[in-house]
């Protein structure tokens, strides 16, 4: 049996090809993939051939945000049945290394993460019609949740992990810098955690409008009205917590300036080397925390979708059939109009 896949061969060179798909072994299932979201890493692989030190060194099937329908079961699988609609967790830690033993599997030394060029040979991804995957990586979706929404479980889990790292947000004043898909999902989980005020900054009106739908109490286009942020910088700052989701140097400087002394800077966005206002960071005793992927938050994210507590529909702006994956990637690169762009396979 063969399945069609979306394979990247180099910069701006993505092709729909066919390859064999096997039968599920013990503990595995075969899934008919339904939808896959284009992440920033997919976009960097396509546009730039990688990001930072991570380079695409061989053809790779893209995609790590996906949902699907269980098609068949391997031996010993009892928690799933054919026809179950599932979100696919792309993360498969080894369970044996020192970090897995410390319950820090997001730092696993032998992590297998679908669609990642970090390892060589690369881990092939989810942008394909059929996928054999461990049953434990499949999380059931409740009937009201669409498969498009289910494909947002992975980026939502990143936002949930960042929220959990930030601590209690109840009654807090929070700034979110960067209103892309992760920034807007952070807005949703911050709101769900009971924050009193959520201000969001970005350079694009389209993404800021989505952030409003996700729960922002105010949005500021810092390109069009840079002075609007000034009142939050007065004195020694205004916000208790900042979720920095852009990794842009100006946003990072603003984040530190806008935080109160002893405030928390939750770094979610990633980039290369960036200038940092060290004196201000030290002088205000800012707690600067990083958030890397997720631990048990994938299940938590699916539960939030299933309960209806988080509505991810506003971030899904575009959907393309797999034969138009190149158009989907180009559209995802246009932040003036797009948030989460998905590729469909069913």
């Amino acid at each position: 049996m063969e399945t069609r896949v979306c394979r990247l061969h180099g910069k701006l060179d993505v092709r729909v090809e066919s390859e064999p798909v096997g039968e599920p072994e013990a503990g595995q299932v075969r899934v008919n993939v339904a939808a896959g979201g284009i992440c920033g890493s997919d976009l960097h692989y396509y546009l730039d051939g990688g990001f930072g030190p991570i380079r695409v060194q061989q053809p790779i099937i893209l995609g790590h945000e996906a949902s699907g329908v269980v098609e068949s079961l391997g031996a010993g699988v009892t928690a799933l049945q054919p026809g179950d609609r599932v979100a696919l967790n792309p993360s498969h830690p080894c369970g044996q290394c020192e970090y897995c033993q410390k319950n820090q599997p997001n730092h696993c030394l032998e992590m297998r993460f679908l669609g990642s060029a970090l390892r060589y040979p690369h881990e092939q991804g989810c942008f394909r019609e059929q996928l054999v995957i461990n049953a434990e990586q499949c999380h059931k979706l409740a009937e009201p949740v669409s498969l498009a929404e289910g494909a947002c479980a992975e980026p939502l889990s990143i936002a949930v992990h960042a929220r959990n790292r930030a601590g209690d947000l109840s009654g807090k004043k929070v700034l979110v810098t960067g209103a892309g898909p992760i920034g807007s999902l952070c807005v949703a989980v911050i709101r769900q955690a009971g924050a009193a005020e959520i201000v969001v900054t970005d350079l694009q009106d389209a993404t800021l409008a989505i952030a409003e739908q996700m729960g922002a109490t105010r949005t500021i286009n810092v390109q069009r009205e840079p002075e609007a942020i000034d009142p939050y910088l007065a004195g020694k700052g205004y916000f208790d917590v900042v979720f920095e989701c852009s990794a842009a140097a100006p946003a990072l400087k603003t984040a530190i300036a806008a935080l109160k002394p002893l405030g928390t800077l939750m770094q979610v966005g990633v980039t290369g080397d960036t200038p940092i206002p060290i004196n201000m960071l030290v002088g205000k005793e800012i707690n600067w925390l990083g958030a890397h992927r997720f631990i048990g938050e994938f299940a938590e994210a699916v539960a939030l979708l299933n309960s209806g507590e988080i509505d991810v529909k506003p971030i899904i702006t575009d959907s393309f059939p797999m034969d138009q994956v190149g158009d989907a990637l180009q559209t995802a690169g246009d932040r003036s109009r797009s948030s989460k762009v998905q590729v469909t396979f069913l």
Side-chain angles (χ1 to χ4, degrees), residues 153-221:
E154 195 274 344
L156 178 57
S157 68
I158 291 172
V160 174
H161 181 63
R163 183 197 68 187
N164 291 348
R165 290 273 291 146
D168 183 14
L169 297 176
S170 179
K172 299 291 180 64
K173 293 179 288 189
V174 182
L175 172 66
V176 178
T177 55
I182 295 296
S184 288
L185 290 170
C186 282
V187 170
V189 299
I190 293 164
R191 180 206 60 194
Q192 193 255 349
E197 187 174 353
I198 309 171
V199 177
V200 184
T201 61
D202 200 279
L203 305 176
Q204 303 292 341
D205 287 335
T207 52
L208 289 170
I210 292 169
E212 286 186 357
Q213 295 180 67
M214 300 299 282
T217 57
R218 183 184 181 186
T219 60
I220 299 173
N221 185 320

Side-chain angles (χ1 to χ4, degrees), residues 129-333:
E129 290 177 321
Q130 288 196 324
L131 173 70
V132 174
I133 189 170
N134 293 326
E136 64 185 15
Q137 293 174 256
C138 298
H139 296 250
K140 291 184 186 179
L141 296 170
E143 196 56 43
V145 180
S146 71
L147 288 164
E149 294 168 70
C152 294
E154 195 274 344
L156 178 57
S157 68
I158 291 172
V160 174
H161 181 63
R163 183 197 68 187
N164 291 348
R165 290 273 291 146
D168 183 14
L169 297 176
S170 179
K172 299 291 180 64
K173 293 179 288 189
V174 182
L175 172 66
V176 178
T177 55
I182 295 296
S184 288
L185 290 170
C186 282
V187 170
V189 299
I190 293 164
R191 180 206 60 194
Q192 193 255 349
E197 187 174 353
I198 309 171
V199 177
V200 184
T201 61
D202 200 279
L203 305 176
Q204 303 292 341
D205 287 335
T207 52
L208 289 170
I210 292 169
E212 286 186 357
Q213 295 180 67
M214 300 299 282
T217 57
R218 183 184 181 186
T219 60
I220 299 173
N221 185 320
V222 290
Q223 181 169 257
R224 193 179 64 251
E225 46 177 345
E227 71 285 350
I229 198 70
D230 291 346
Y232 299 111
L233 311 182
K236 286 199 171 185
Y238 179 83
F239 295 101
D240 303 298
V241 183
V242 175
F243 282 68
E244 206 300 291
C245 300
S246 73
L252 183 57
K253 183 177 180 180
T254 296
I256 294 172
L259 273 168
K260 292 178 178 178
L262 303 178
T264 296
L265 174 55
M266 177 51 57
Q267 188 65 46
V268 186
V270 294
T271 186
D273 294 341
T274 303
I276 301 166
I278 290 290
N279 288 353
M280 194 186 309
L281 184 78
V282 172
K284 294 172 74 171
E285 298 185 294
I286 299 301
N287 301 296
W288 192 5
L289 304 176
H292 177 60
R293 292 181 180 164
F294 46 89
I295 301 176
E297 287 92 355
F298 195 93
E300 190 174 351
V302 173
L304 289 170
L305 292 175
N306 286 343
S307 68
E309 292 181 74
I310 299 292
D311 180 7
V312 297
K313 290 191 291 293
I315 73 166
I316 305 171
T317 53
D318 302 271
S319 179
F320 291 81
M322 72 179 298
D323 289 328
Q324 298 175 25
V325 62
D327 293 335
L329 287 158
Q330 291 289 346
T331 300

